[in-house]
Amino acid sequence: MARGDPLDGQVLLLTAAKASVAARELPALVDRVQADLGPRLATYRRAYEAVDESPDRWTFLVPPDHWEEVGRRLDLTRREREAVRRAHEEQLRRVGSRQERREEFESALDIRSAVVIGVEGEDGDGIDGGDASA
């Protein structure tokens, strides 16, 4: 995983197989979303529950309408928004499997969504400050 890249390659492959977005378009779409979310890491840390953190990425549970807001901000189509949402949720499931918390995370996804933000800063905190609006 490249520094700041929030999703595992296997997650992208699985998402591409299920999404209505062409597999060749998904990495660029994920990069575009990461470019928007990365500078907001500090805001996410204050506003949402972090369920996993590592030197490479933080994983949060967010309200179910979160991806609609991100989609509006980035002018994503419904299909693009759903593909990104699905990819981030699949990454949460993968983390849950590794940590033997998959059932817990599956239950959380019944009422919330997931956001995975790659860490870009060398100190593990991402870009400091962040935007006040997540």
Side-chain angles (χ1 to χ4, degrees):
M1 179 172 69
R3 192 106 177 116
D5 186 3
L7 306 178
D8 294 340
Q10 289 295 328
V11 167
L12 292 178
L13 289 174
L14 182 60
T15 301
K18 295 179 180 180
S20 298
V21 172
R24 67 184 180 284
E25 296 172 12
L26 191 57
L29 179 59
V30 168
D31 288 347
R32 186 171 152 211
V33 170
Q34 170 61 26
D36 177 72
L37 297 177
R40 300 170 191 272
L41 178 58
T43 299
Y44 276 80
R45 289 176 61 186
R46 287 188 302 272
Y48 302 112
E49 178 186 359
V51 293
D52 186 60
E53 58 186 86
S54 75
D56 296 319
R57 64 179 155 232
W58 284 63
T59 305
F60 300 92
L61 293 175
V62 296
D65 64 349
H66 179 270
W67 287 108
E68 291 174 23
E69 181 181 328
V70 172
R72 281 190 298 273
R73 194 168 57 232
L74 297 177
D75 196 28
L76 301 178
T77 67
R78 181 187 57 76
R79 286 180 174 179
E80 289 171 330
R81 184 182 71 235
E82 288 302 308
V84 172
R85 179 194 57 77
R86 184 176 285 139
H88 282 247
E89 289 180 359
E90 192 59 42
Q91 184 66 48
L92 175 68
R93 288 181 181 98
R94 190 171 178 91
V95 168
S97 292
R98 286 185 197 139
Q99 296 179 359
E100 297 181 6
R101 298 174 66 191
R102 185 165 176 127
E103 187 174 314
E104 171 190 344
F105 291 164
E106 286 289 349
S107 293
L109 289 174
D110 287 341
I111 58 172
R112 296 191 270 178
S113 190
V115 170
V116 183
I117 302 177
V119 176
E120 298 172 7
E122 292 301 315
D123 62 359
D125 276 344
I127 298 172
D128 61 8
D131 184 343
S133 64

